[in-house]
Amino acid sequence: MEKDNNQTESFREPKLEFSEEVSTNIIEDLKKIPKGTSGFVVIKGPNVGEKFFLTNDEVAIGRSPESGIFLDDITVSRQHAILEKTEKGFKLIDTGSLNGTYVNGDRAESTLLQNGDRIQIGKYVFLFFKL
């Protein structure tokens, strides 16, 4: 719990803890997003800087073209994970993927996302934001 609080606070500070991982362009783009918005931004891998805004109660993530967040990577399962909106925020649920879903470096089956969490699925690394 302590670790998550530190990461959340670092996202709000002018000097971001992950500033070496995230380009200044991405940080500036995030500052322009309206409050109340949640989503992912790609910080490593293909399409760095691409944003996915979470506007639905459930979003599929995977290699299937029908996924709400389509990841064109052979190490990503066709139906890799699901993002589910709950009363407490967004929950990331791995749907039994072969290579796993990682949140802040730890393999995660189901976890409630916090602002500033890093999610790795295949060769993609995302930063979760909740403004």
Side-chain angles (χ1 to χ4, degrees), residues 66-97:
E66 290 83 35
S67 298
I69 298 177
F70 169 66
L71 304 178
D72 190 13
D73 174 7
I74 194 70
T75 64
V76 174
S77 297
R78 290 182 64 71
Q79 297 174 359
H80 198 97
I82 292 183
L83 280 164
E84 183 179 277
K85 187 174 185 178
T86 70
E87 290 179 9
K88 295 181 180 182
F90 283 94
K91 182 187 284 188
L92 179 65
I93 304 163
D94 185 278
T95 56
S97 67

Side-chain angles (χ1 to χ4, degrees), residues 10-125:
S10 71
F11 187 74
R12 294 181 187 151
E13 295 295 327
K15 286 189 174 183
L16 303 178
E17 178 181 310
F18 47 80
S19 61
E20 291 179 12
E21 291 180 43
V22 183
S23 76
T24 53
N25 290 342
I26 292 173
I27 293 169
E28 290 304 314
D29 282 350
L30 290 175
K31 290 178 181 177
K32 296 174 188 173
I33 296 172
K35 291 191 187 286
T37 304
S38 296
F40 286 125
V41 61
V42 180
I43 59 172
K44 287 186 183 176
N47 307 321
V48 169
E50 183 175 8
K51 293 171 209 61
F52 300 94
F53 297 103
L54 304 177
T55 56
N56 296 331
D57 290 342
E58 188 172 290
V59 178
I61 303 170
R63 195 168 32 96
S64 170
E66 290 83 35
S67 298
I69 298 177
F70 169 66
L71 304 178
D72 190 13
D73 174 7
I74 194 70
T75 64
V76 174
S77 297
R78 290 182 64 71
Q79 297 174 359
H80 198 97
I82 292 183
L83 280 164
E84 183 179 277
K85 187 174 185 178
T86 70
E87 290 179 9
K88 295 181 180 182
F90 283 94
K91 182 187 284 188
L92 179 65
I93 304 163
D94 185 278
T95 56
S97 67
L98 180 63
N99 294 315
T101 301
Y102 295 83
V103 177
N104 300 322
D106 297 322
R107 190 162 182 156
E109 299 299 321
S110 176
T111 188
L112 189 63
L113 295 176
Q114 302 297 315
N115 195 31
D117 280 349
R118 290 172 206 76
I119 296 90
Q120 181 171 357
I121 298 176
K123 57 186 171 185
Y124 292 84
V125 178

